[in-house]
Amino acid sequence: GAGVSQSPRYKVAKRGQDVALRCDPISGHVSLFWYQQALGQGPEFLTYFQNEAQLDKSGLPSDRFFAERPEGSVSTLKIQRTQQEDSAVYLCASSPRAEKLFFGSGTQLSVL
Amino acid sequence: SQELEQSPQSLIVQEGKNLTINCTSSKTLYGLYWYKQKYGEGLIFLMMLQKGGEEKSHEKITAKLDEKKQQSSLHITASQPSHAGIYLCGADKSYNTDKLIFGTGTRLQVFP
């Protein structure tokens, strides 16, 4: 596709449930980022991939958060045993190396 | 750690008025990005500034980076309802990195 695609668009989960969020970056983009955006806040960095290598995961809030990009293209952000504080919009962005980020529309996660 | 502060947090202007949004960093900015976000959508890239004193314009939006590279302003001339949204400044966390940190955003409303 022409842009970064994220799915699902909306996700409602019961507390304790595991969720998986998908990101399809722009074809050929080396870098892929995940951000978490709470209501009324700017995006907060979670993790960064260059191709299949996860170079920085310093922003992941706990070990319940896990991200992968096994073939250097599609990425999945997994959250285990979701908590209410995990409710946020999860944004994925990709870029050709060291250039501006192209963002997807995000997945809005609501944990009840 | 580097933080970005934006002001004002929200702005309501009448159509046709000019406005300015500021972004201030506690540390030297290696790259400063302006993005716009509409409710429920991802971030749209507006402009990137890298050199001290640099100024860029696109349509009715002008962004400047001060000489010390610690402050940027975004100026909209003759605002229109289509300018409404959340404006976010982002900065490279350090030299030669793709990882961006963001300010908390400025919510702009333009009424006819």
Side-chain angles (χ1 to χ4, degrees), chain B residues 8-72:
Chain B
Q9 289 188 337
S10 65
L11 199 52
I12 303 174
V13 301
Q14 188 174 24
E15 184 176 0
K17 297 294 185 184
N18 302 336
L19 64 104
T20 300
I21 298 168
N22 293 302
C23 175
T24 303
S25 171
S26 56
K27 298 183 180 180
T28 299
L29 296 164
Y30 294 101
L32 189 287
Y33 300 75
W34 283 100
Y35 283 85
K36 179 184 175 184
Q37 185 178 32
K38 293 214 164 185
Y39 178 75
E41 298 181 15
L43 281 65
I44 305 297
F45 173 81
L46 295 175
M47 276 173 275
M48 181 184 77
L49 305 165
Q50 285 187 306
K51 300 177 183 177
E54 188 174 7
E55 178 176 323
K56 287 186 178 179
S57 293
H58 176 66
E59 297 181 346
K60 295 185 178 180
I61 300 176
T62 300
K64 300 178 184 179
L65 182 62
D66 75 340
E67 288 290 344
K68 292 184 179 180
K69 295 173 63 175
Q70 286 191 271
Q71 185 169 10
S72 178

Side-chain angles (χ1 to χ4, degrees), chain A residues 1-2 7 11 17 19 21 23 32 34 36 49-50 54-55 61-62 77 82 92 97 99-101 106:
Chain A
S7 60
K11 177 69 179 177
Q17 189 178 351
V19 297
L21 313 180
C23 173
L32 185 144
W34 282 99
Q36 180 190 59
F49 291 85
Q50 198 169 96
Q54 189 174 20
L55 299 186
S62 76
L77 176 68
T82 52
C92 175
R97 205 173 184 129
E99 295 184 22
K100 69 184 184 187
L101 301 187

Side-chain angles (χ1 to χ4, degrees), chain A residues 9 31 33 35 37 40-43 45 48 56 58 91 98 100-101 103-105, chain B residues 33 35 37 39-43 45 48 88 98-105 107:
Chain A
R9 189 76 176 84
S31 301
F33 302 80
Y35 284 83
Q37 186 175 25
Q41 301 295 316
F45 171 83
Y48 159 54
D56 189 335
S58 61
L91 294 165
K100 69 184 184 187
L101 301 187
F103 282 83
S105 298
Chain B
Y33 300 75
Y35 283 85
Q37 185 178 32
Y39 178 75
E41 298 181 15
L43 281 65
F45 173 81
M48 181 184 77
L88 291 152
D98 297 339
K99 178 173 153 185
L100 292 187
I101 58 170
F102 285 93
T104 53
R107 183 179 298 272

